[in-house]
Amino acid sequence: MQQRPRRNRKSAAIRSLVRETSLQVDHLIYPFFLVDSKNHKEEVSSLPGNYRWSIDMLLKELEECQKLGLKHFMLFPKIKEEHKDATGSFSYNENNYYLQAAKKIKQEFPDVNLISDVALDPYSIHGHDGIVDNGVILNDETVDVLVDMSIAQAEAGFDMIGPSDMMDGRVGAIRQGLDENGFSNTSILAYTAKYASAFYGPFRDALDSAPVDDPNIPKDKKTYQMDPANKSEALIEAEQDELEGADILMVKPALHYLDVIQTLKKNTNLPISAYHVSGECAMLIAACQKGWLDYETAMPETLLSIRRAGTDAIITYFAKDYAKMVADGKL
Ligand code: PBG
């Protein structure tokens, strides 16, 4: 036998020498759900280990996370019913607790990379990412709101703006709006290939942001989020986002779309991120709770697969657990 591939696997030292992919805590972005409250930390039942936080509690958590080396954080707001309307106008209202929370975080921790969410769904009475008119999601009218929301978020101090809405042309419009308002340094992390996926359930529970049950409101997001069957279309989205000024592209979900990640990585020089979404994490947590899988081996293997497919950055609810394992010398 000329080739015995097992020779490169014969010891931990040699395996470490020839390991092709590494995943560092630097690559991880940790998402948080924020509520307008005080002294509040409430577990999301469909995503164990993840919570709805009030800002006072979250500041302490962020401190702990930073001790573990985490520095990229994404914030998603749960908005009170009384602040929801048809056009999501509370999103750029200066009394929006989400914007105030971002200010506090950046005051206390100027070095963290804080990433926003831009979309109408938390703020809208229908739960759609855009304005709904006679059952149709209006594109250009929505983009105007997204631009106002983005400028307000940049003003609040977010380092990166994260449009998760999938309206056409929004990256370019947001870029222009930011530049014209003195925020040419604020980055755009574009949700480039975001699919109409079944795996967002726990996230919508956490924020109470699912489309409402109403015959005049579309039940799903298929007229703006992508068809899970499509890959070439992801390249069209990527080309657009790149031309429109995105700084980082994203594929979402991650695990079920590793081929899309790989394709995008091959076709752009921009960094690629992937959102390891709530349902993907919840599946693994549930299997581990049942004793069917081992969390400390299955979780890092999962994250590694997303990295191996070609991502630079991974948004995952497992970020802190991974960082803890690294800190404990287990990885
Ligand atoms: C909505 C948004 C969603 C997620 C992030 N932003 C849900 C949706 O599109 O309905 C899902 C993230 C997750 O499941 O972890 N703008």
Side-chain angles (χ1 to χ4, degrees):
M1 249 188 278
Q2 289 304 105
Q3 283 285 355
R4 283 185 182 268
R6 286 187 54 192
R7 276 196 290 265
N8 281 343
R9 300 174 204 144
K10 71 183 171 190
S11 69
I14 292 173
R15 288 195 295 277
S16 75
L17 181 72
V18 300
R19 187 161 295 135
E20 298 172 41
T21 311
S22 69
L23 175 63
Q24 285 147 32
V25 174
D26 285 343
H27 302 132
L28 301 178
I29 300 173
Y30 196 15
F32 286 106
F33 307 117
L34 200 65
V35 290
D36 186 4
S37 184
K38 278 198 186 104
N39 197 26
H40 186 99
K41 178 184 174 188
E42 176 194 10
E43 192 166 49
V44 179
S45 57
S46 51
L47 196 58
N50 288 268
Y51 303 84
R52 300 185 189 91
W53 300 87
S54 58
I55 182 63
D56 51 342
M57 300 284 279
L58 183 64
L59 287 169
K60 289 177 207 151
E61 174 70 7
L62 289 176
E63 194 169 349
E64 202 180 305
C65 288
Q66 287 174 78
K67 285 191 188 133
L68 294 168
L70 292 162
K71 53 187 162 211
H72 314 286
F73 304 105
M74 213 169 214
L75 281 191
F76 293 96
K78 178 168 163 45
I79 300 296
K80 291 180 174 162
E81 286 304 316
E82 72 231 48
H83 290 141
K84 296 185 182 182
D85 63 16
T87 60
S89 63
F90 192 64
S91 61
Y92 49 87
N93 185 318
E94 59 182 45
N95 296 320
N96 182 351
Y97 83 100
Y98 177 72
L99 301 172
Q100 292 165 353
K103 249 179 229 165
K104 273 195 200 140
I105 293 171
K106 287 300 292 185
Q107 266 162 14
E108 196 144 326
F109 308 117
D111 296 335
V112 303
N113 173 21
L114 194 63
I115 307 165
S116 76
D117 180 48
V118 173
L120 260 55
D121 54 329
Y123 302 98
S124 135
I125 41 176
H126 335 98
H128 274 287
D129 293 27
I131 298 171
V132 187
D133 183 35
N134 276 326
V136 175
I137 315 297
L138 301 179
N139 193 88
D140 301 6
E141 292 79 353
T142 298
V143 170
D144 290 342
V145 179
L146 300 174
V147 171
D148 290 342
M149 192 184 313
S150 301
I151 294 167
Q153 292 175 352
E155 246 159 23
F158 279 102
D159 300 278
M160 292 186 170
I161 302 299
S164 66
D165 55 281
M166 289 304 279
M167 296 301 121
D168 292 333
R170 91 283 205 209
V171 171
I174 290 170
R175 185 69 274 156
Q176 190 183 345
L178 291 174
D179 290 355
E180 286 172 1
N181 285 274
F183 299 111
S184 55
N185 237 349
T186 305
S187 316
I188 300 178
L189 169 56
Y191 288 58
T192 298
K194 176 172 176 179
Y195 287 86
S197 169
F199 291 89
Y200 305 149
F203 176 97
R204 292 179 189 172
D205 288 346
L207 299 186
D208 188 21
S209 64
V212 296
D213 192 11
D214 179 322
N216 298 316
I217 302 297
K219 288 195 182 356
D220 57 48
K221 299 188 174 183
K222 289 179 184 169
T223 67
Y224 47 105
Q225 297 180 347
M226 283 176 53
D227 184 337
N230 292 357
K231 186 152 66 173
S232 301
E233 198 182 343
L235 290 170
I236 300 176
E237 289 283 359
E239 202 175 304
Q240 289 301 319
D241 285 358
E242 200 168 332
L243 285 171
E244 290 175 33
D247 298 286
I248 301 178
L249 305 182
M250 187 202 294
V251 175
K252 176 183 175 181
L255 280 185
H256 295 80
Y257 297 86
L258 295 176
D259 57 328
V260 180
I261 294 171
Q262 188 171 33
T263 302
L264 252 57
K265 184 66 187 171
K266 280 193 187 140
N267 284 281
T268 180
N269 291 323
L270 286 178
I272 300 284
S273 64
Y275 200 140
H276 182 211
V277 299
S278 57
E280 295 180 314
C281 292
M283 288 194 305
L284 192 135
I285 296 169
C288 293
Q289 283 185 345
K290 276 193 169 285
W292 293 348
L293 290 175
D294 172 53
Y295 186 68
E296 291 206 337
T297 49
M299 183 271 283
E301 180 181 332
T302 300
L303 298 186
L304 194 66
S305 75
I306 301 171
R307 173 99 175 131
R308 193 187 60 236
T311 45
D312 299 283
I314 304 175
I315 302 141
T316 177
Y317 301 93
F318 296 154
K320 188 180 178 191
D321 285 345
Y322 188 90
K324 253 193 232 157
M325 285 186 69
V326 171
D328 291 346
K330 291 180 176 167
L331 288 172

